[in-house]
Amino acid sequence: MDEIKDRQELLLEIEQLKLDNARLGQRMDKMRKWNNSLLQKNWQESEDQTLLEFSEQDSETPNPQELLQELRIHQEELRVQNEELLEIRYSLEESRSRYQALFRNSPLPCLVLNESSRILELNHQAANLLAQANPDLHPERMPMSLFLHRYSQENFRRFFERVLRNSEAQREEWKLRDEQIVVAHGFALAPTEDGRIEGCQVVLENVTLQRQEELQKLQEREYRLLQAQQLARLGDWQWEEGQIFCSPHLFTLLNIHPSTSPTNFFQAYLDRVPENDQETVRSQWQQAIEKGKPFTLNHCYLLPGGDRLQLRVQGSPVQRVGTQRYLGFVQVIESEETKAAN
């Protein structure tokens, strides 16, 4: 938890430095433009005043003291403006120095990509990570896509487009060519004077071990679920848009080949129902799904060797935007073996 917190704080600090740099740059540009306009205005006013004085034959001779005083006022204004510009410049340089130090010394891999997604700059952590992903290439000046797994190419393209279009940070998960998994946090670079975004900074978070642990826990849960289903002689299913997706144990329980497609599963199941019950079972399924209501069916089921099972089938609709979906289970509640035992 402390490591995740430190990473989040580091990402926030990088984002804050980026914003500070952008604000200082914009302020400096504004002051420079204001200074230039003031100088141009003062020069124009002085030139207009001189022409006016020469054009008026009855004008009085200017007072040298007044001219000197006006000149001193203009000089003081320029001095104050220059000091403010220097102060902004020093603040900007200090912010950039802190940013560069944070970039180089960050424990997370950091990269800067140009507008064509080539790597312009990267720190030591990023260089090591990408060297593992593609040992045959030196990362600098190379397209970032050369270090990504083919399954992540489209995700990267969409991520890069989002970063350049949005001022907010973007997040995406990628798989590298060496199967490592990273979470990318993207920040657009400060816009140029004409408003163009010339690239972005990307901070990578290696989550390979975390994903492996999650996968291991998922596999353990699936194994425990399979064990429980075997003991209960039960298997679960999911219906969506005319297709039925089943748990592995349900294929074994109903003696249906595992290669049966989701589209054909219902018919394979129905073929094992006695002929005089098939139409009833079919209509009850269809009516329940059409009305979007929970249902429970009890019917006989014939195995290839001639044994009979008594099944209980239950299903319930699940709210999902855009598609109709059902979740349910099939359980053997009685069989010829259990009858014989009784």
Side-chain angles (χ1 to χ4, degrees), residues 207-218 220:
V207 295
T208 305
L209 292 178
Q210 181 181 342
R211 294 295 181 266
Q212 289 175 347
E213 290 175 358
E214 291 172 355
L215 179 61
Q216 183 177 358
K217 290 179 180 178
L218 178 61
E220 290 173 357

Side-chain angles (χ1 to χ4, degrees), residues 14 16 35 53 87 101 122 138 164 168-169 207 287 300 308:
I14 291 173
Q16 186 60 46
N35 189 28
E53 290 172 355
E87 183 181 350
L122 71 169
H138 188 274
L164 297 186
E168 298 178 354
V207 295
Q287 288 176 14
C300 183
R308 290 172 173 263

Side-chain angles (χ1 to χ4, degrees), residues 1 5-6 20 27 31 50 80 103 128 130 134 151 183 188 196 215 223 235 249 265 292 297 304 342:
M1 289 298 296
K5 183 178 180 181
D6 292 341
D20 291 343
R27 188 179 173 194
M31 287 296 298
T50 303
V80 172
F103 181 88
N128 289 340
L130 298 186
N134 195 339
Y151 294 137
V183 173
R196 290 191 305 112
L215 179 61
Y223 175 75
H249 185 58
F265 181 87
L297 304 177
N342 292 333

Side-chain angles (χ1 to χ4, degrees), residues 98-339:
R98 287 194 296 122
Y99 173 79
Q100 287 296 329
L102 182 63
F103 181 88
R104 289 191 302 269
N105 302 322
S106 170
L108 296 176
C110 301
L111 311 97
V112 176
L113 307 180
N114 66 7
E115 56 190 353
S116 60
S117 75
R118 286 182 176 269
I119 301 171
L120 292 182
E121 189 178 356
L122 71 169
N123 65 359
H124 184 67
Q125 298 290 342
N128 289 340
L129 181 68
L130 298 186
Q132 297 174 28
N134 195 339
D136 299 330
L137 294 177
H138 188 274
E140 199 163 352
R141 296 291 172 181
M142 289 293 176
M144 183 63 196
S145 58
L146 296 180
F147 300 91
L148 299 177
H149 194 281
R150 59 192 179 95
Y151 294 137
S152 294
Q153 296 289 335
E154 184 62 23
N155 286 347
F156 169 71
R157 185 187 65 79
R158 292 197 299 265
F159 165 84
F160 190 69
E161 290 177 353
R162 289 201 314 271
V163 171
L164 297 186
R165 287 197 311 264
N166 297 277
S167 58
E168 298 178 354
Q170 301 295 314
R171 185 180 183 277
E172 189 70 69
E173 186 168 298
W174 304 333
K175 179 183 284 189
L176 302 180
R177 290 189 61 176
D178 63 344
E179 302 292 331
Q180 292 193 82
I181 301 173
V182 296
V183 173
H185 305 266
F187 313 87
L189 298 179
T192 59
E193 292 184 0
D194 57 359
R196 290 191 305 112
I197 303 294
E198 294 186 336
C200 68
Q201 180 181 341
V202 179
V203 179
L204 300 177
E205 183 181 358
N206 195 331
V207 295
T208 305
L209 292 178
Q210 181 181 342
R211 294 295 181 266
Q212 289 175 347
E213 290 175 358
E214 291 172 355
L215 179 61
Q216 183 177 358
K217 290 179 180 178
L218 178 61
Q219 290 173 341
E220 290 173 357
R221 286 196 299 268
E222 289 179 346
Y223 175 75
R224 289 195 294 268
L225 176 62
L226 177 61
Q227 294 282 59
Q229 288 186 349
Q230 289 175 345
L231 290 173
R233 304 190 72 184
L234 177 148
D236 62 281
W237 55 268
Q238 172 184 319
W239 182 95
E240 186 170 347
E241 295 183 345
Q243 299 186 90
I244 297 180
F245 303 89
C246 303
S247 63
H249 185 58
L250 188 56
F251 287 100
T252 303
L253 198 65
L254 300 181
N255 208 334
I256 296 176
H257 198 278
S259 64
T260 304
S261 68
T263 305
N264 298 327
F265 181 87
F266 183 75
Q267 187 59 48
Y269 151 78
L270 199 61
D271 288 342
R272 300 286 177 83
V273 176
E275 290 187 9
N276 56 335
D277 294 335
Q278 286 185 7
E279 188 57 36
T280 302
V281 171
R282 183 198 301 273
S283 63
Q284 288 179 330
W285 268 76
Q286 291 178 344
Q287 288 176 14
I289 291 175
E290 288 174 0
K291 295 178 180 178
K293 294 183 178 180
F295 67 92
T296 300
L297 304 177
N298 292 319
H299 64 80
C300 183
Y301 187 85
L302 302 177
L303 295 176
D307 294 335
R308 290 172 173 263
L309 303 177
Q310 190 67 26
L311 301 183
R312 173 173 295 151
V313 183
Q314 290 189 348
S316 298
V318 177
Q319 296 297 328
R320 188 174 183 181
V321 178
T323 58
Q324 188 182 17
R325 187 182 179 198
Y326 266 76
L327 298 180
F329 68 87
V330 176
Q331 183 178 20
V332 177
I333 57 176
E334 191 176 21
S335 64
E336 288 187 349
E337 292 82 354
T338 57
K339 283 183 179 180

